[in-house]
Amino acid sequence: MNVELYERMWMWGASALLLLFVGAIFVTAGVYAIHPPSHVETVDPEALATSPEFGNPAVTVQPDGSVVVTVVASLFSFSPDPIEVPADRPVTFRLTSADVLHGFQIVGTNGNAMVVPGYVSQFTMTFHEPGEYLIVCNEYCGLMHHGMLGKLIVRKESK
Amino acid sequence: MSGRHSLTGAHVGVAIAAFAVASALGVLQAMSLADIGFPHRDESLYYIILTAHGVLMALVFTTFFIMGLGYALAQESLGRITGRRVAWVGFWLAAAGSVAAAVTILMGKSTVLYTFYPPLQAHPVFYIGATLLVVGSWLWGGVMLASYRSWRRENPGRPVPLSMHGILATVVIWYLATAGLAAEVLGMLIPWSLGMVPKIDPLVARTLFWWFGHPLVYFWLLPAYVLWYTVLPQVAGGKLFSDRLARLAFILFVLLSTPVGFHHQFEDPGISAGWKLAHTVATYAVMFPSFMTAFTVIASLEVAGRRKGAKGLFDWIPRLPWGDPVFAAIALAMIGFAFGGFGGAINAAYAMNSMVHNTAWIQAHLHVTLGTTVVLSFMGATYWLLPRMLGRELRFRGLARVQPYLWFLGMVIFSTSYHVAGLRGLPRRIYSATLTGEYPQWHGLAVLAATGAVLLFLSALSFVTVTFATWIGGRKAPAPAFEFAVPLRPAVAGLWDRFGLWTVVAVVLVAVAYAYPLIHLLMQPRYPSGPYQPF
């Protein structure tokens, strides 16, 4: 196919740019293990009350010192609320919904996950800045969707 | 209107009526989000008009306009519409379905937004109406294919006119896309809403929705590209820079626009990281034909400027007909897409999506892509079609001349505000940005966005006024010819015209992208959901 020189240059340039973008994503994913929350696990949304983990959603400290937060989202609140976690320690959020789709977004951070009934969403992050963070539901869930808010408190641990 | 273009007239008329209603609702949404009071403002009204705005703009306006444009292009570039009766059946099915769905929305019985994710449940008539709209569009696709085959029999060995090449690509993408939607709506949502099936899996439904949801974007965008390649250079007085590369671009869209849906589901559970990464790669690949389009179209405009005597590096730009509403609208649409494209590259950036997912950034992105690139292209197309179709001159030409610029300005304000607000964490689709009390910077940006929305509404009003006034009272004049840009080198038929072959390859790519993840989803122990109506 006969293609003009300038157009060939443009196409090579565009290819290089796109390869750079994809390359950056592969490096951050492969080398630094930065992924979107992609946990695969199912749970019965009608049996959450009797589930050992989601029956009483709470913040727990594991034997290795890491922190696990289980959260149940339901129309129109998060439980537990507020969530209190220590600063500078890996915190793993495990989330599910008791009813419809919800979102779980910790404003001002990269914490952002869809919460789907029947499934467990999971992501891990470390908070370095102590203080109060706003949690919002960012997936439309019904008439009071905009009022579905929560609070995350990050405390500096006394040594 | 001459009988030749009665199909186009009917479809474009419905499209613009839907657009008129939806733009009035849009300005109310932006005001609500900014806490600007108006009569009857409350939560329920907000979510009802949010649903209506999305359905009328993204599904009704676009589908009807594209069908109407397809009929005009088939008539003018192939000299025929094969199957007019089927086409009218399609029109009435789609119109009846759209009205039925709109009525259940306005009655407050289907407040599920245009993404209608279960287990929120709408009235069965909402799903059935949406199905009729899609069935109508399938008939349209059939008429496009039949017209092409009829033309092909009479013109063996000749390349199909480029405008129809783009429409055929649009039709193939639409069939690939709506296969996923049909599986979701016919296989899950309709039986569930009628109570025949008690429970459905929300994640399977979401996955099928986004199988449809991203190629939907290319169903909107490709007809705009057809206008950029075949109408814009002609209106500007230039020639199409490369016919071959335009055809290659359309084929690349056929191949790559569907196996990308997981980039809408990056934050979802239940889909493993590897498959999300695979769809990420395809998402970046599908940006390539857009880069090609940018070069070819801008080079074609440079040809136009040079033919008008431009000599320097950039002096061809002011020589383009910026005062012509057809040219201005479509050229501004392209400028909008430069921003929309790079915003899309950010959304698609895998882990970086966490920064923007479901924030106001997303509605800002959709409004620079669909709301600017596609809408302005279709406004320009309306100004191009009306005199040719009706044999009438545009009325209020001054208003028509200003209107695209007003739209662009309004969108710059609207979309920049929401992009920034989204980066600061403002979630999308909420009744008010100030309820939390903790984020006063959201309020200022929401007020700014509402200002942009008012400008957009004024521009929409101008567009509808010009269209309506021309239709009923434009001065009778000989209809100008439908002329398409001539390529610099004559078109020859080649590999990129073999739609059968490329459709097979595209189906294989969709199967590779979706078969394993869907089977994996279906094989694990699952706990489907019953219906909820919290509105």
Side-chain angles (χ1 to χ4, degrees), chain A residues 2 7 10 15 35-39 42-44 46 105 110 112 114 119 121 138-141 143 145-146, chain B residues 43 47 111 199 201 245 266-271 276 291 296 350 354 357-358 425 429 435 489 525 527 534:
Chain A
N2 188 0
E7 183 139 32
W10 172 266
S15 306
H35 299 283
S38 305
H39 185 66
T42 57
V43 63
D44 185 352
E46 287 170 15
Q105 177 192 339
N110 290 332
N112 196 341
M114 292 292 299
Y119 294 83
S121 300
N138 63 11
E139 182 63 64
Y140 170 69
C141 56
L143 192 60
H145 159 57
H146 49 280
Chain B
E43 295 88 347
Y47 292 112
T111 314
K199 293 180 175 185
D201 187 320
L245 289 176
F266 280 141
E267 314 306 317
D268 280 21
I271 300 166
K276 291 179 179 175
F291 274 107
T296 304
Y350 194 57
S354 296
H357 176 74
N358 271 354
R429 297 172 159 179
L435 286 176
R489 277 189 301 275
Y527 304 95

CSV table of all heavy atoms in Angstrom, one decimal, chain A residues 2 7 10 15 35-39 42-44 46 105 110 112 114 119 121 138-141 143 145-146, chain B residues 43 47 111 199 201 245 266-271 276 291 296 350 354 357-358 425 429 435 489 525 527 534:
chain,number,residue,atom,x,y,z
A,2,ASN,N,0.6,2.2,-0.9
A,2,ASN,CA,1.4,3.4,-1.0
A,2,ASN,C,0.9,4.4,0.0
A,2,ASN,O,-0.2,4.9,0.0
A,2,ASN,CB,1.1,3.9,-2.4
A,2,ASN,CG,2.1,5.1,-2.7
A,2,ASN,OD1,2.9,5.5,-1.9
A,2,ASN,ND2,2.0,5.6,-3.9
A,7,GLU,N,2.5,10.5,6.6
A,7,GLU,CA,1.5,9.7,7.3
A,7,GLU,C,2.2,8.5,7.9
A,7,GLU,O,1.8,8.1,9.0
A,7,GLU,CB,0.5,9.3,6.3
A,7,GLU,CG,-0.6,8.5,6.9
A,7,GLU,CD,-2.0,8.8,6.4
A,7,GLU,OE1,-2.1,9.2,5.2
A,7,GLU,OE2,-3.0,8.7,7.2
A,10,TRP,N,3.7,9.6,11.1
A,10,TRP,CA,2.6,9.8,12.1
A,10,TRP,C,2.2,8.5,12.7
A,10,TRP,O,2.0,8.3,13.9
A,10,TRP,CB,1.4,10.5,11.5
A,10,TRP,CG,0.2,10.6,12.3
A,10,TRP,CD1,-0.8,9.7,12.3
A,10,TRP,CD2,-0.1,11.6,13.3
A,10,TRP,NE1,-1.8,10.1,13.2
A,10,TRP,CE2,-1.4,11.3,13.8
A,10,TRP,CE3,0.5,12.8,13.7
A,10,TRP,CZ2,-2.0,12.1,14.8
A,10,TRP,CZ3,-0.1,13.5,14.7
A,10,TRP,CH2,-1.3,13.2,15.2
A,15,SER,N,2.0,4.7,17.1
A,15,SER,CA,2.3,3.4,17.6
A,15,SER,C,3.3,3.4,18.8
A,15,SER,O,3.1,2.7,19.8
A,15,SER,CB,2.9,2.5,16.5
A,15,SER,OG,2.1,2.5,15.4
A,35,HIS,N,-2.5,-3.4,40.6
A,35,HIS,CA,-3.6,-3.8,39.9
A,35,HIS,C,-4.9,-3.2,40.4
A,35,HIS,O,-5.0,-2.8,41.5
A,35,HIS,CB,-3.8,-5.4,40.0
A,35,HIS,CG,-2.6,-6.2,39.6
A,35,HIS,ND1,-2.4,-6.4,38.2
A,35,HIS,CD2,-1.6,-6.8,40.3
A,35,HIS,CE1,-1.2,-7.1,38.1
A,35,HIS,NE2,-0.8,-7.3,39.3
A,36,PRO,N,-5.9,-3.1,39.5
A,36,PRO,CA,-7.2,-2.7,40.1
A,36,PRO,C,-7.8,-3.9,40.9
A,36,PRO,O,-7.3,-5.0,40.8
A,36,PRO,CB,-8.1,-2.5,38.8
A,36,PRO,CG,-7.4,-3.3,37.8
A,36,PRO,CD,-6.0,-3.4,38.1
A,37,PRO,N,-8.7,-3.6,41.9
A,37,PRO,CA,-9.3,-4.7,42.7
A,37,PRO,C,-9.9,-5.8,41.8
A,37,PRO,O,-10.8,-5.5,41.1
A,37,PRO,CB,-10.3,-4.0,43.6
A,37,PRO,CG,-10.5,-2.7,43.0
A,37,PRO,CD,-9.3,-2.3,42.2
A,38,SER,N,-9.3,-7.0,41.8
A,38,SER,CA,-9.8,-8.0,40.9
A,38,SER,C,-10.0,-9.4,41.6
A,38,SER,O,-9.7,-10.4,41.0
A,38,SER,CB,-8.8,-8.2,39.7
A,38,SER,OG,-8.6,-6.9,39.1
A,39,HIS,N,-10.4,-9.3,42.8
A,39,HIS,CA,-10.5,-10.5,43.6
A,39,HIS,C,-11.7,-11.4,43.2
A,39,HIS,O,-12.7,-10.8,42.8
A,39,HIS,CB,-10.7,-10.1,45.1
A,39,HIS,CG,-10.7,-11.2,46.1
A,39,HIS,ND1,-9.6,-12.0,46.3
A,39,HIS,CD2,-11.7,-11.7,46.9
A,39,HIS,CE1,-9.9,-12.8,47.3
A,39,HIS,NE2,-11.2,-12.7,47.6
A,42,THR,N,-17.0,-15.6,45.9
A,42,THR,CA,-18.5,-15.4,46.0
A,42,THR,C,-18.9,-15.6,47.4
A,42,THR,O,-18.3,-16.3,48.2
A,42,THR,CB,-19.2,-16.3,45.0
A,42,THR,OG1,-18.9,-17.7,45.3
A,42,THR,CG2,-18.9,-16.0,43.5
A,43,VAL,N,-20.1,-15.0,47.7
A,43,VAL,CA,-20.7,-15.1,49.0
A,43,VAL,C,-22.2,-15.0,48.9
A,43,VAL,O,-22.6,-14.3,48.0
A,43,VAL,CB,-20.1,-14.1,50.0
A,43,VAL,CG1,-20.4,-12.7,49.5
A,43,VAL,CG2,-20.6,-14.2,51.4
A,44,ASP,N,-23.0,-15.7,49.7
A,44,ASP,CA,-24.4,-15.6,49.6
A,44,ASP,C,-25.0,-14.3,50.3
A,44,ASP,O,-24.8,-14.2,51.5
A,44,ASP,CB,-25.0,-16.8,50.3
A,44,ASP,CG,-26.6,-16.9,50.0
A,44,ASP,OD1,-27.1,-15.9,49.5
A,44,ASP,OD2,-27.2,-17.9,50.4
A,46,GLU,N,-27.8,-13.4,51.0
A,46,GLU,CA,-29.0,-13.6,51.9
A,46,GLU,C,-28.6,-14.3,53.1
A,46,GLU,O,-29.4,-14.4,54.1
A,46,GLU,CB,-30.1,-14.4,51.2
A,46,GLU,CG,-30.8,-13.5,50.1
A,46,GLU,CD,-31.7,-14.3,49.2
A,46,GLU,OE1,-32.0,-15.5,49.6
A,46,GLU,OE2,-32.1,-13.8,48.2
A,105,GLN,N,-15.7,4.3,47.7
A,105,GLN,CA,-14.6,5.2,47.3
A,105,GLN,C,-14.2,6.0,48.5
A,105,GLN,O,-15.0,6.7,49.1
A,105,GLN,CB,-15.1,6.1,46.2
A,105,GLN,CG,-14.1,7.1,45.7
A,105,GLN,CD,-14.7,8.2,44.8
A,105,GLN,OE1,-15.8,8.0,44.2
A,105,GLN,NE2,-14.1,9.4,44.7
A,110,ASN,N,-6.6,6.3,46.4
A,110,ASN,CA,-6.9,5.5,45.2
A,110,ASN,C,-7.9,4.4,45.6
A,110,ASN,O,-8.1,3.4,44.8
A,110,ASN,CB,-5.6,4.9,44.7
A,110,ASN,CG,-4.8,5.9,44.0
A,110,ASN,OD1,-5.3,6.9,43.5
A,110,ASN,ND2,-3.5,5.7,44.0
A,112,ASN,N,-11.0,2.5,45.7
A,112,ASN,CA,-12.2,2.7,44.9
A,112,ASN,C,-12.6,1.3,44.4
A,112,ASN,O,-11.7,0.6,43.7
A,112,ASN,CB,-11.9,3.6,43.7
A,112,ASN,CG,-13.1,4.1,43.0
A,112,ASN,OD1,-14.2,3.5,43.1
A,112,ASN,ND2,-13.0,5.2,42.2
A,114,MET,N,-16.0,-1.5,43.1
A,114,MET,CA,-17.4,-1.8,43.0
A,114,MET,C,-17.8,-2.8,44.1
A,114,MET,O,-17.0,-3.7,44.4
A,114,MET,CB,-17.7,-2.4,41.6
A,114,MET,CG,-17.5,-1.5,40.5
A,114,MET,SD,-18.8,-0.2,40.4
A,114,MET,CE,-20.3,-1.2,40.2
A,119,TYR,N,-20.7,-11.3,45.6
A,119,TYR,CA,-19.3,-11.3,45.3
A,119,TYR,C,-18.5,-10.5,46.4
A,119,TYR,O,-19.1,-9.7,47.1
A,119,TYR,CB,-18.9,-10.7,44.0
A,119,TYR,CG,-19.5,-11.5,42.8
A,119,TYR,CD1,-20.8,-11.3,42.4
A,119,TYR,CD2,-18.7,-12.4,42.1
A,119,TYR,CE1,-21.3,-12.1,41.4
A,119,TYR,CE2,-19.2,-13.1,41.1
A,119,TYR,CZ,-20.5,-13.0,40.7
A,119,TYR,OH,-21.0,-13.7,39.7
A,121,SER,N,-15.4,-8.0,47.1
A,121,SER,CA,-14.3,-7.2,46.5
A,121,SER,C,-13.2,-7.0,47.5
A,121,SER,O,-13.5,-7.0,48.7
A,121,SER,CB,-14.9,-5.8,46.2
A,121,SER,OG,-16.0,-5.9,45.3
A,138,ASN,N,-20.3,5.4,45.1
A,138,ASN,CA,-20.2,6.1,43.8
A,138,ASN,C,-20.9,5.3,42.7
A,138,ASN,O,-20.7,5.6,41.5
A,138,ASN,CB,-18.8,6.4,43.4
A,138,ASN,CG,-17.9,5.2,43.3
A,138,ASN,OD1,-18.4,4.1,43.2
A,138,ASN,ND2,-16.6,5.4,43.2
A,139,GLU,N,-21.7,4.3,43.1
A,139,GLU,CA,-22.6,3.7,42.1
A,139,GLU,C,-24.0,3.9,42.4
A,139,GLU,O,-24.4,3.5,43.6
A,139,GLU,CB,-22.2,2.2,42.0
A,139,GLU,CG,-23.0,1.4,40.9
A,139,GLU,CD,-22.7,1.9,39.5
A,139,GLU,OE1,-21.6,1.7,39.1
A,139,GLU,OE2,-23.6,2.4,38.9
A,140,TYR,N,-24.8,4.4,41.5
A,140,TYR,CA,-26.2,4.7,41.8
A,140,TYR,C,-26.9,3.5,42.4
A,140,TYR,O,-26.9,2.4,41.8
A,140,TYR,CB,-26.9,5.1,40.5
A,140,TYR,CG,-28.4,5.2,40.6
A,140,TYR,CD1,-29.0,6.2,41.4
A,140,TYR,CD2,-29.3,4.3,40.0
A,140,TYR,CE1,-30.4,6.3,41.5
A,140,TYR,CE2,-30.6,4.4,40.1
A,140,TYR,CZ,-31.2,5.4,40.9
A,140,TYR,OH,-32.5,5.4,41.0
A,141,CYS,N,-27.6,3.7,43.5
A,141,CYS,CA,-28.2,2.5,44.2
A,141,CYS,C,-29.7,2.8,44.6
A,141,CYS,O,-30.3,1.9,45.1
A,141,CYS,CB,-27.4,2.1,45.4
A,141,CYS,SG,-27.2,3.5,46.6
A,143,LEU,N,-33.0,6.0,45.6
A,143,LEU,CA,-33.4,7.3,45.9
A,143,LEU,C,-32.5,8.1,46.8
A,143,LEU,O,-32.3,9.3,46.6
A,143,LEU,CB,-34.8,7.3,46.5
A,143,LEU,CG,-35.6,8.6,46.5
A,143,LEU,CD1,-35.8,9.2,45.2
A,143,LEU,CD2,-36.9,8.3,47.2
A,145,HIS,N,-29.2,7.6,47.2
A,145,HIS,CA,-27.8,7.2,46.8
A,145,HIS,C,-26.8,8.3,47.3
A,145,HIS,O,-25.7,7.9,47.8
A,145,HIS,CB,-27.7,7.0,45.3
A,145,HIS,CG,-26.4,7.1,44.7
A,145,HIS,ND1,-25.3,6.3,45.1
A,145,HIS,CD2,-25.9,8.0,43.7
A,145,HIS,CE1,-24.3,6.7,44.4
A,145,HIS,NE2,-24.6,7.7,43.6
A,146,HIS,N,-27.1,9.5,47.1
A,146,HIS,CA,-26.2,10.6,47.4
A,146,HIS,C,-26.0,10.8,48.9
A,146,HIS,O,-25.0,11.4,49.3
A,146,HIS,CB,-26.8,12.0,46.9
A,146,HIS,CG,-28.2,12.2,47.2
A,146,HIS,ND1,-29.2,11.5,46.6
A,146,HIS,CD2,-28.8,12.8,48.3
A,146,HIS,CE1,-30.4,11.9,47.1
A,146,HIS,NE2,-30.1,12.6,48.2
B,43,GLU,N,-35.2,14.7,45.2
B,43,GLU,CA,-34.3,13.5,44.8
B,43,GLU,C,-35.0,12.7,43.7
B,43,GLU,O,-34.3,12.3,42.8
B,43,GLU,CB,-34.1,12.6,46.0
B,43,GLU,CG,-33.3,13.2,47.2
B,43,GLU,CD,-34.2,13.9,48.1
B,43,GLU,OE1,-35.4,14.2,47.8
B,43,GLU,OE2,-33.7,14.3,49.2
B,47,TYR,N,-33.4,11.8,39.9
B,47,TYR,CA,-33.0,10.5,39.4
B,47,TYR,C,-33.9,10.1,38.2
B,47,TYR,O,-33.4,9.3,37.3
B,47,TYR,CB,-32.9,9.4,40.5
B,47,TYR,CG,-31.8,9.6,41.5
B,47,TYR,CD1,-32.0,10.0,42.8
B,47,TYR,CD2,-30.5,9.6,41.0
B,47,TYR,CE1,-31.0,10.3,43.7
B,47,TYR,CE2,-29.4,9.8,41.9
B,47,TYR,CZ,-29.7,10.2,43.2
B,47,TYR,OH,-28.7,10.4,44.1
B,111,THR,N,-36.6,4.0,37.3
B,111,THR,CA,-35.5,4.9,37.6
B,111,THR,C,-34.2,4.1,37.8
B,111,THR,O,-33.7,4.0,38.9
B,111,THR,CB,-35.9,5.7,38.9
B,111,THR,OG1,-37.2,6.1,38.8
B,111,THR,CG2,-35.0,6.9,39.1
B,199,LYS,N,-34.4,-14.9,40.2
B,199,LYS,CA,-33.1,-14.2,40.6
B,199,LYS,C,-32.2,-14.2,39.4
B,199,LYS,O,-32.2,-15.2,38.6
B,199,LYS,CB,-32.4,-15.0,41.7
B,199,LYS,CG,-33.1,-14.9,43.0
B,199,LYS,CD,-32.4,-15.7,44.1
B,199,LYS,CE,-33.1,-15.5,45.4
B,199,LYS,NZ,-32.3,-16.1,46.5
B,201,ASP,N,-27.9,-13.0,38.1
B,201,ASP,CA,-26.6,-12.7,38.6
B,201,ASP,C,-26.2,-11.3,38.2
B,201,ASP,O,-26.0,-11.0,37.0
B,201,ASP,CB,-25.6,-13.7,38.1
B,201,ASP,CG,-24.2,-13.5,38.7
B,201,ASP,OD1,-23.8,-12.3,38.9
B,201,ASP,OD2,-23.5,-14.5,39.0
B,245,LEU,N,-6.4,4.4,3.6
B,245,LEU,CA,-6.2,4.4,5.1
B,245,LEU,C,-7.5,4.6,5.8
B,245,LEU,O,-7.7,4.1,6.9
B,245,LEU,CB,-5.1,5.5,5.5
B,245,LEU,CG,-3.7,5.1,5.1
B,245,LEU,CD1,-2.7,6.2,5.4
B,245,LEU,CD2,-3.3,3.8,5.7
B,266,PHE,N,-13.0,-2.4,35.5
B,266,PHE,CA,-11.7,-2.5,36.2
B,266,PHE,C,-11.9,-2.7,37.7
B,266,PHE,O,-11.2,-3.4,38.4
B,266,PHE,CB,-10.8,-1.3,36.0
B,266,PHE,CG,-10.1,-1.3,34.7
B,266,PHE,CD1,-9.9,-0.1,34.0
B,266,PHE,CD2,-9.5,-2.5,34.2
B,266,PHE,CE1,-9.3,-0.1,32.8
B,266,PHE,CE2,-8.8,-2.5,33.0
B,266,PHE,CZ,-8.7,-1.3,32.3
B,267,GLU,N,-12.9,-2.0,38.3
B,267,GLU,CA,-13.0,-2.0,39.8
B,267,GLU,C,-14.0,-3.2,40.2
B,267,GLU,O,-14.4,-3.2,41.4
B,267,GLU,CB,-13.5,-0.7,40.3
B,267,GLU,CG,-12.8,0.5,39.8
B,267,GLU,CD,-11.3,0.5,39.9
B,267,GLU,OE1,-10.9,0.1,41.0
B,267,GLU,OE2,-10.6,0.9,39.0
B,268,ASP,N,-14.4,-4.0,39.3
B,268,ASP,CA,-15.4,-5.1,39.6
B,268,ASP,C,-14.6,-6.3,40.3
B,268,ASP,O,-13.5,-6.6,39.9
B,268,ASP,CB,-16.0,-5.6,38.4
B,268,ASP,CG,-17.2,-4.7,37.9
B,268,ASP,OD1,-17.2,-3.5,38.3
B,268,ASP,OD2,-18.0,-5.2,37.1
B,269,PRO,N,-15.3,-6.9,41.2
B,269,PRO,CA,-14.8,-8.2,41.7
B,269,PRO,C,-15.2,-9.3,40.6
B,269,PRO,O,-15.9,-9.0,39.7
B,269,PRO,CB,-15.6,-8.5,43.0
B,269,PRO,CG,-16.9,-7.8,42.7
B,269,PRO,CD,-16.6,-6.5,41.9
B,270,GLY,N,-14.6,-10.5,40.8
B,270,GLY,CA,-15.1,-11.6,40.0
B,270,GLY,C,-14.5,-11.8,38.6
B,270,GLY,O,-14.7,-12.7,37.9
B,271,ILE,N,-13.7,-10.8,38.2
B,271,ILE,CA,-13.0,-10.8,36.9
B,271,ILE,C,-11.5,-10.7,37.2
B,271,ILE,O,-11.1,-9.7,37.9
B,271,ILE,CB,-13.4,-9.7,36.0
B,271,ILE,CG1,-14.9,-9.8,35.7
B,271,ILE,CG2,-12.6,-9.8,34.7
B,271,ILE,CD1,-15.5,-8.6,35.1
B,276,LYS,N,-8.5,-8.4,32.7
B,276,LYS,CA,-8.6,-7.0,32.6
B,276,LYS,C,-7.4,-6.4,31.8
B,276,LYS,O,-7.6,-5.5,31.0
B,276,LYS,CB,-8.7,-6.4,34.0
B,276,LYS,CG,-10.0,-6.7,34.7
B,276,LYS,CD,-10.0,-6.2,36.1
B,276,LYS,CE,-11.4,-6.5,36.8
B,276,LYS,NZ,-11.4,-6.1,38.2
B,291,PHE,N,-6.1,7.8,15.8
B,291,PHE,CA,-4.9,8.6,15.4
B,291,PHE,C,-4.8,8.7,13.9
B,291,PHE,O,-4.6,9.8,13.4
B,291,PHE,CB,-3.6,7.9,15.9
B,291,PHE,CG,-3.3,8.3,17.4
B,291,PHE,CD1,-3.5,7.4,18.4
B,291,PHE,CD2,-2.8,9.5,17.6
B,291,PHE,CE1,-3.2,7.7,19.7
B,291,PHE,CE2,-2.5,9.9,19.0
B,291,PHE,CZ,-2.7,9.0,20.0
B,296,THR,N,-5.5,11.8,8.6
B,296,THR,CA,-6.1,11.9,7.3
B,296,THR,C,-7.0,13.1,7.2
B,296,THR,O,-7.0,13.8,6.2
B,296,THR,CB,-6.8,10.6,7.0
B,296,THR,OG1,-5.9,9.5,7.2
B,296,THR,CG2,-7.4,10.5,5.6
B,350,TYR,N,-5.9,0.9,33.3
B,350,TYR,CA,-5.8,-0.2,34.2
B,350,TYR,C,-5.9,0.3,35.7
B,350,TYR,O,-6.9,0.8,36.1
B,350,TYR,CB,-4.5,-1.0,33.9
B,350,TYR,CG,-4.4,-2.4,34.5
B,350,TYR,CD1,-5.4,-3.3,34.3
B,350,TYR,CD2,-3.3,-2.7,35.4
B,350,TYR,CE1,-5.3,-4.6,34.9
B,350,TYR,CE2,-3.2,-3.9,35.9
B,350,TYR,CZ,-4.2,-4.9,35.7
B,350,TYR,OH,-4.1,-6.1,36.3
B,354,SER,N,-8.6,3.6,39.1
B,354,SER,CA,-9.1,3.8,40.5
B,354,SER,C,-9.3,5.3,40.8
B,354,SER,O,-10.1,5.7,41.6
B,354,SER,CB,-8.2,3.2,41.5
B,354,SER,OG,-8.1,1.8,41.3
B,357,HIS,N,-12.7,6.2,38.5
B,357,HIS,CA,-13.9,5.4,38.3
B,357,HIS,C,-15.1,5.9,39.1
B,357,HIS,O,-15.0,6.2,40.3
B,357,HIS,CB,-13.6,4.0,38.8
B,357,HIS,CG,-14.7,3.0,38.8
B,357,HIS,ND1,-15.2,2.5,37.6
B,357,HIS,CD2,-15.6,2.6,39.8
B,357,HIS,CE1,-16.3,1.8,37.9
B,357,HIS,NE2,-16.5,1.8,39.2
B,358,ASN,N,-16.2,6.1,38.3
B,358,ASN,CA,-17.5,6.5,38.9
B,358,ASN,C,-17.4,7.9,39.6
B,358,ASN,O,-18.2,8.2,40.4
B,358,ASN,CB,-18.0,5.5,39.9
B,358,ASN,CG,-18.9,4.5,39.1
B,358,ASN,OD1,-19.2,4.6,37.9
B,358,ASN,ND2,-19.4,3.5,39.9
B,425,GLY,N,-12.6,13.8,43.7
B,425,GLY,CA,-13.4,12.8,44.4
B,425,GLY,C,-14.9,13.0,44.3
B,425,GLY,O,-15.7,12.1,44.9
B,429,ARG,N,-23.4,11.1,39.2
B,429,ARG,CA,-24.8,10.7,39.4
B,429,ARG,C,-25.3,10.9,40.8
B,429,ARG,O,-25.9,10.0,41.4
B,429,ARG,CB,-25.0,9.2,39.0
B,429,ARG,CG,-24.6,8.9,37.6
B,429,ARG,CD,-24.6,7.5,37.3
B,429,ARG,NE,-24.8,7.2,35.9
B,429,ARG,CZ,-24.8,6.0,35.3
B,429,ARG,NH1,-24.6,4.9,36.1
B,429,ARG,NH2,-25.0,5.9,34.0
B,435,LEU,N,-24.0,17.8,50.0
B,435,LEU,CA,-24.6,17.1,51.2
B,435,LEU,C,-23.6,16.8,52.3
B,435,LEU,O,-23.9,16.8,53.4
B,435,LEU,CB,-25.4,15.9,50.8
B,435,LEU,CG,-26.7,16.2,50.1
B,435,LEU,CD1,-27.3,14.9,49.6
B,435,LEU,CD2,-27.6,16.9,51.0
B,489,ARG,N,-5.9,10.2,-4.6
B,489,ARG,CA,-5.7,9.0,-5.5
B,489,ARG,C,-7.0,8.2,-5.6
B,489,ARG,O,-7.6,8.0,-4.6
B,489,ARG,CB,-4.6,8.1,-5.0
B,489,ARG,CG,-3.2,8.6,-5.3
B,489,ARG,CD,-2.1,7.6,-5.0
B,489,ARG,NE,-2.1,7.3,-3.5
B,489,ARG,CZ,-1.5,8.0,-2.6
B,489,ARG,NH1,-0.8,9.0,-2.9
B,489,ARG,NH2,-1.6,7.6,-1.3
B,525,PRO,N,-19.5,-21.2,42.2
B,525,PRO,CA,-20.7,-21.2,43.0
B,525,PRO,C,-21.3,-19.7,43.0
B,525,PRO,O,-20.5,-18.8,43.4
B,525,PRO,CB,-20.3,-21.6,44.4
B,525,PRO,CG,-18.8,-21.4,44.5
B,525,PRO,CD,-18.3,-21.6,43.1
B,527,TYR,N,-24.5,-16.7,43.7
B,527,TYR,CA,-25.7,-16.4,44.5
B,527,TYR,C,-26.4,-15.3,43.9
B,527,TYR,O,-26.2,-14.1,44.3
B,527,TYR,CB,-25.2,-16.1,46.0
B,527,TYR,CG,-24.4,-17.2,46.6
B,527,TYR,CD1,-23.0,-17.1,46.5
B,527,TYR,CD2,-25.0,-18.3,47.2
B,527,TYR,CE1,-22.2,-18.1,47.0
B,527,TYR,CE2,-24.2,-19.3,47.7
B,527,TYR,CZ,-22.8,-19.2,47.6
B,527,TYR,OH,-22.1,-20.2,48.2
B,534,PRO,N,-35.6,0.5,45.1
B,534,PRO,CA,-35.5,1.5,46.1
B,534,PRO,C,-35.6,3.0,45.6
B,534,PRO,O,-34.8,3.8,45.8
B,534,PRO,CB,-34.1,1.3,46.7
B,534,PRO,CG,-33.3,0.7,45.5
B,534,PRO,CD,-34.3,0.1,44.6
